[in-house]
C-alpha cells in the first residue's frame, strides 16, 4: 500500500514538473521568444575540437551547440555543461557578459534544453577548459525530464525502446554506433580497393531463397500478388555475376521470421559479395584480410577484447574441416560412418535429437553444433560441409557428399558463410527438388525452386566464390557488445499494447 502511495506521489511530482516546462514554453512564446522559431545555428567547433586544440583556440571566439546536461546558478554568474556529438564542455555564463534580460532567461532554462553558446575559450581556476559565453541562444525547449544523471538510464527495455534517450544519457552507447558506422565505411573502403561494385537488389521478392529461414509474407495490392521479404541477398547477386559484373556486393537489411535472442533479430544487416573466377579458398583469403583491415582501421589493433577473451585477428586464422572438427571435439569420425542409419545410431548414443527426415550429413551438422561451436574462440574457418545442408554450393570433386563451403567462427559464433558457388544448372535443379521434398516433409526453412534463377544459371555463370557476413555480429565483436540489440539502433520490441 505504501509503495503504491509513493508511486502516486512520484507521478504527481513528475506531472507538475512537466507542466512547469510547458508553462515556461508558453511564457517564452508569449514574449516573442519561441525557441522553435530558430531554423539554424552556425556551429564552428564541437566540444572535442575545443579541448584538443586549446592552445590555438585560447582567447578566440567559438560557437558551440548542444544539450544542457547540468546547470549551476550562482547569483550573477552560472555554469552549465552542454553535450554534443563529440562529448561535452563547460560554459561560464555571467549576467554582465550576456545582458540582464538574457541572463534572466538563461536561469529558467532546464536540463535537456538545447542551446547555442558563443564565447571565448578559456580555462577556469580549477583547470577546466570552458567557453566564456557572450551569448546563449535557446534552440529547442525540452518538455520531458531526462533520467537522473547520477544513476543514468540503466533499464534495458527503456533503453532499447527510447534509443534517443539512451544516446543522450550513455556516451558509450553513442560511441558504439559511431564505431558501427566506421566499421561499415571501412568494409566499403576495403572492397572498393579490391575492385568490387556496390549494388542494390529487391527486398520484396516472389521467392525468398538463398538461405534456410522462414520468410515474412505480405500482399502487393497493385499487382494482387503475395510476396515475401528477402531472407538473403544471394540469388539476385548471382544473376549479376551471370550478367558479367564480376565483383559485386550489397550491404542491406534481410528479414527472417524467427525467434529473438542475444544473437538474432528478425531484421538484421547482412553483406553478401560474389567474385567470378575464384573459389572458397579465395573467399577465405579475402575474409581474413578484410577482418584484419577493419579491426586495425576502427580499433587501432588486430587484437580486440570480447567478453573474457582477447580475439587475435592478426595471426593466421585456423582452418579445419567439419569432419575433423567433430572428430577433435566429439571423438566421432564421420568418415568412418557408413550411412544414415549408422549416423542416427550414433546420435542416439550421444543424446543428439534429430528428425526422421535427417540424413547422415544433417546429423554431422547436429554433432558440430552440439560439440564443436563453443570451442571455436579464436578465428577459425570450418570447411567442407555436407551437401544436404548446402543446396547452393559446389560439390568437392573428390568427396561429392561434401561441398566447398566454409563458415568463420569467432567466440563460438558464426560470423560468415561462404561457398564455391554451384554453377551447374542440372545439379542445382536436383538440389532444389530435394529442398522441395524437405518443404513438403515439414521443413519450413527449405528453399523452393526459383525458375528465373535457374534460367540465369542455364545462360551460364562462371566459377564464382560467394560469401555472406552478419554485419551486426561483426559490430558486436569490435565493440565488445554482448547482445545484438546493443548494436541495433532500433531493435525489434514487442508492442506495449500487447
Amino acid at each position: 500500500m505504501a509503495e503504491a502511495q509513493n508511486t502516486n506521489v512520484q507521478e504527481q511530482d513528475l506531472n507538475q514538473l512537466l507542466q512547469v516546462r510547458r508553462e515556461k514554453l508558453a511564457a517564452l512564446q508569449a514574449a516573442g521568444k519561441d525557441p522553435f522559431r530558430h531554423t539554424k545555428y552556425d556551429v564552428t567547433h564541437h566540444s572535442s575540437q575545443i579541448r584538443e586544440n586549446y592552445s590555438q583556440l585560447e582567447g578566440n571566439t567559438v560557437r558551440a551547440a548542444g544539450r544542457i546536461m547540468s546547470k549551476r546558478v550562482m547569483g550573477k554568474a552560472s555554469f552549465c555543461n552542454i553535450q554534443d556529438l563529440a562529448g561535452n564542455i563547460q560554459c561560464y555564463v555571467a549576467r554582465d557578459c550576456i545582458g540582464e534580460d538574457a541572463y534572466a532567461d538563461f536561469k529558467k532554462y532546464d536540463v535537456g534544453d538545447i542551446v547555442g553558446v558563443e564565447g571565448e575559450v578559456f580555462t577556469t581556476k580549477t583547470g577546466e577548459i570552458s567557453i566564456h559565453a557572450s551569448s546563449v541562444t535557446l534552440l529547442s525547449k525540452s518538455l520531458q525530464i531526462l533520467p537522473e544523471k547520477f544513476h543514468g538510464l540503466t533499464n534495458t527495455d527503456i533503453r532499447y525502446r527510447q534509443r534517443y534517450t539512451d544516446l543522450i544519457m550513455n556516451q558509450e552507447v553513442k560511441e558504439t554506433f559511431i564505431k558501427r558506422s566506421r566499421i561499415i565505411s571501412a568494409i566499403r573502403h576495403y572492397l572498393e580497393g579490391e575492385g568490387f561494385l556496390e549494388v542494390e537488389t529487391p527486398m520484396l521478392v516472389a521467392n525468398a531463397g538463398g538461405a534456410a529461414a522462414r520468410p515474412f509474407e505480405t500482399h502487393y495490392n497493385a499487382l494482387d500478388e503475395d510476396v515475401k521479404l528477402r531472407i538473403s541477398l544471394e540469388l539476385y547477386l548471382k544473376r549479376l555475376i551471370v550478367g558479367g559484373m564480376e565483383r559485386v556486393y550489397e550491404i542491406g537489411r534481410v528479414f527472417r521470421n524467427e525467434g529473438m535472442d542475444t544473437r538474432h533479430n528478425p531484421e538484421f544487416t547482412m553483406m553478401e559479395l560474389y567474385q567470378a573466377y575464384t573459389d572458397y579458398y579465395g573467399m577465405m583469403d579475402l575474409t581474413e584480410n578484410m577482418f584484419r583491415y577493419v579491426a586495425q582501421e576502427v580499433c587501432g589493433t588486430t587484437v580486440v577484447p570480447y567478453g573474457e577473451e582477447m580475439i587475435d585477428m592478426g595471426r593466421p586464422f585456423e582452418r579445419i574441416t567439419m569432419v575433423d572438427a567433430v572428430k577433435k571435439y566429439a571423438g566421432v569420425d564421420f568418415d568412418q560412418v557408413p550411412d544414415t542409419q549408422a549416423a542416427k545410431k550414433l546420435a542416439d548414443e550421444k543424446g543428439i535429437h534429430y528428425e526422421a527426415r535427417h540424413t547422415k550429413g544433417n546429423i554431422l551438422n547436429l554433432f558440430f553444433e552440439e560439440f564443436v561451436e563453443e570451442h571455436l574462440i579464436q578465428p577459425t574457418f570450418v570447411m567442407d560441409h555436407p551437401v544436404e545442408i548446402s543446396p547452393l554450393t559446389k560439390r568437392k570433386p573428390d568427396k561429392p557428399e561434401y561441398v566447398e563451403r566454409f563458415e568463420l567462427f569467432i567466440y563460438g559464433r558464426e560470423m560468415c558463410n561462404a561457398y564455391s558457388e554451384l554453377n551447374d544448372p542440372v545439379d542445382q535443379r536436383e538440389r532444389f527438388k530435394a529442398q522441395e521434398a524437405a518443404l513438403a516433409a515439414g521443413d519450413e526453412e527449405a528453399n523452393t525452386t526459383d525458375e528465373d534463377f535457374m534460367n540465369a544459371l542455364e545462360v551460364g555463370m562462371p566459377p564464382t566464390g560467394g560469401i555472406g557476413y552478419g554485419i551486426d555480429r561483426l559490430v558486436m565483436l569490435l565493440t565488445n557488445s554482448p547482445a545484438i540489440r546493443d548494436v541495433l539502433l532500433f531493435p525489434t520490441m514487442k508492442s506495449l499494447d500487447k
Side-chain angles (χ1 to χ4, degrees):
M1 186 68 167
E3 184 177 340
Q5 289 175 341
N6 288 335
T7 300
N8 289 335
V9 170
Q10 290 172 356
E11 289 179 354
Q12 290 172 3
D13 290 344
L14 178 60
N15 289 336
Q16 289 174 359
L17 290 171
L18 294 174
Q19 183 59 35
V20 167
R21 292 200 175 205
R22 281 160 174 75
E23 290 170 356
K24 288 181 178 180
L25 174 61
L28 286 166
Q29 292 171 329
K33 300 176 181 179
D34 185 353
F36 301 122
R37 75 183 188 279
H38 296 287
T39 58
K40 63 178 294 188
Y41 187 84
D42 293 326
V43 174
T44 62
H45 295 81
H46 281 94
S47 57
S48 63
Q49 295 172 310
I50 295 171
R51 287 193 302 274
E52 292 166 5
N53 300 284
Y54 175 74
S55 59
Q56 291 83 30
L57 292 173
E58 182 183 12
N60 293 332
T61 297
V62 297
R63 289 166 62 91
R67 188 180 300 274
I68 297 176
M69 298 304 292
S70 64
K71 183 164 168 269
R72 288 177 290 140
V73 177
M74 301 177 298
K76 298 179 182 180
S78 301
F79 286 93
C80 70
N81 190 284
I82 64 170
Q83 178 175 288
D84 59 19
L85 173 68
N88 57 74
I89 193 164
Q90 179 175 269
C91 302
Y92 174 68
V93 184
R95 184 186 67 181
D96 293 344
C97 293
I98 70 170
E100 190 168 341
D101 290 343
Y103 188 68
D105 287 340
F106 171 78
K107 289 197 295 183
K108 296 177 184 177
Y109 295 168
D110 293 304
V111 169
D113 289 350
I114 297 173
V115 297
V117 179
E118 181 174 357
E120 289 186 3
V121 176
F122 80 112
T123 304
T124 65
K125 292 179 181 179
T126 59
E128 184 166 354
I129 296 172
S130 307
I131 300 174
H132 189 158
S134 56
S135 69
V136 180
T137 305
L138 181 62
L139 302 174
S140 181
K141 182 69 184 168
S142 175
L143 301 181
Q144 283 288 348
I145 310 295
L146 292 178
E148 195 271 309
K149 188 168 180 60
F150 179 77
H151 294 100
L153 180 62
T154 57
N155 183 299
T156 54
D157 188 73
I158 295 176
R159 286 182 53 228
Y160 297 145
R161 291 184 188 277
Q162 298 182 18
R163 183 66 85 185
Y164 42 89
T165 308
D166 190 23
L167 292 166
I168 294 168
M169 300 307 300
N170 296 313
Q171 181 64 26
E172 68 277 8
V173 172
K174 186 185 294 183
E175 290 169 358
T176 291
F177 288 104
I178 291 172
K179 186 174 280 190
R180 179 189 174 105
S181 180
R182 292 183 60 211
I183 289 167
I184 294 173
S185 179
I187 289 171
R188 286 190 165 110
H189 185 265
Y190 178 81
L191 292 177
E192 183 179 357
E194 295 295 311
F196 283 84
L197 297 174
E198 184 173 8
V199 298
E200 294 177 306
T201 61
M203 290 189 183
L204 288 173
V205 295
N207 189 322
R214 186 177 178 184
F216 287 93
E217 299 181 2
T218 187
H219 186 76
Y220 189 8
N221 291 334
L223 297 178
D224 191 24
E225 290 182 354
D226 291 334
V227 292
K228 300 176 178 67
L229 290 172
R230 66 185 181 187
I231 60 173
S232 169
L233 313 174
E234 180 166 349
L235 300 185
Y236 279 96
L237 291 176
K238 284 183 176 179
R239 287 167 167 88
L240 299 181
I241 294 292
V242 170
M245 299 179 73
E246 295 180 2
R247 298 189 182 202
V248 294
Y249 77 96
E250 180 175 6
I251 299 174
R253 281 293 221 224
V254 296
F255 310 86
R256 297 184 181 181
N257 197 353
E258 54 193 21
M260 295 184 290
D261 58 30
T262 57
R263 287 186 278 172
H264 296 89
N265 195 71
E267 57 173 311
F268 60 97
T269 302
M270 176 177 282
M271 181 178 80
E272 293 196 31
L273 65 84
Y274 292 85
Q275 179 180 340
Y277 310 112
T278 191
D279 60 6
Y280 73 145
Y281 288 108
M283 292 295 98
M284 280 187 229
D285 294 340
L286 182 148
T287 298
E288 185 169 340
N289 292 334
M290 186 178 75
F291 272 53
R292 193 169 291 134
Y293 171 85
V294 172
Q296 185 66 50
E297 285 291 304
V298 176
C299 302
T301 177
T302 57
V303 181
V304 298
Y306 193 80
E308 302 299 319
E309 302 287 344
M310 295 299 295
I311 306 301
D312 187 353
M313 286 178 280
R315 69 182 187 184
F317 292 9
E318 183 182 354
R319 302 185 181 193
I320 188 171
T321 67
M322 183 178 282
V323 169
D324 285 345
V326 169
K327 183 178 179 180
K328 178 178 179 179
Y329 293 104
V332 176
D333 185 356
F334 267 76
D335 277 344
Q336 303 303 314
V337 177
D339 53 30
T340 294
Q341 183 177 352
K344 288 182 175 180
K345 183 179 179 182
L346 278 171
D348 291 335
E349 292 172 358
K350 294 286 189 177
I352 301 294
H353 173 73
Y354 58 86
E355 298 178 23
R357 61 183 175 82
H358 282 159
T359 63
K360 174 185 168 182
N362 299 114
I363 294 171
L364 167 61
N365 188 55
L366 292 174
F367 268 74
F368 173 79
E369 292 174 350
E370 179 68 23
F371 294 107
V372 179
E373 286 187 4
E374 63 181 334
H375 298 287
L376 306 179
I377 303 301
Q378 295 301 324
T380 303
F381 291 120
V382 177
M383 308 158 52
D384 301 350
H385 294 50
V387 69
E388 293 93 326
I389 63 169
S390 312
L392 299 166
T393 315
K394 185 170 288 190
R395 295 177 190 263
K396 291 182 67 66
D398 56 335
K399 297 181 72 175
E401 67 273 27
Y402 297 99
V403 296
E404 295 188 351
R405 173 184 174 186
F406 73 80
E407 292 172 295
L408 172 62
F409 281 83
I410 301 177
Y411 199 77
R413 299 172 178 178
E414 178 202 335
M415 304 297 293
C416 67
N417 185 20
Y419 314 148
S420 294
E421 301 296 336
L422 179 60
N423 62 342
D424 178 347
V426 176
D427 190 355
Q428 181 63 79
R429 187 169 291 280
E430 291 303 312
R431 307 272 192 97
F432 273 139
K433 285 181 180 179
Q435 288 286 297
E436 298 271 10
L439 184 66
D443 184 355
E444 294 181 336
E445 296 184 346
N447 287 191
T448 57
T449 305
D450 185 327
E451 289 295 345
D452 182 72
F453 174 67
M454 287 303 310
N455 185 68
L457 282 190
E458 289 173 359
V459 170
M461 185 174 82
T464 298
I467 191 165
Y469 302 89
I471 295 296
D472 307 305
R473 292 187 183 179
L474 177 57
V475 176
M476 288 170 63
L477 175 68
L478 296 183
T479 60
N480 197 6
S481 298
I484 191 171
R485 288 183 175 188
D486 295 324
V487 300
L488 298 175
L489 279 168
F490 301 101
T492 302
M493 303 289 290
K494 187 175 183 178
S495 172
L496 291 174
D497 297 332
K498 297 295 186 182

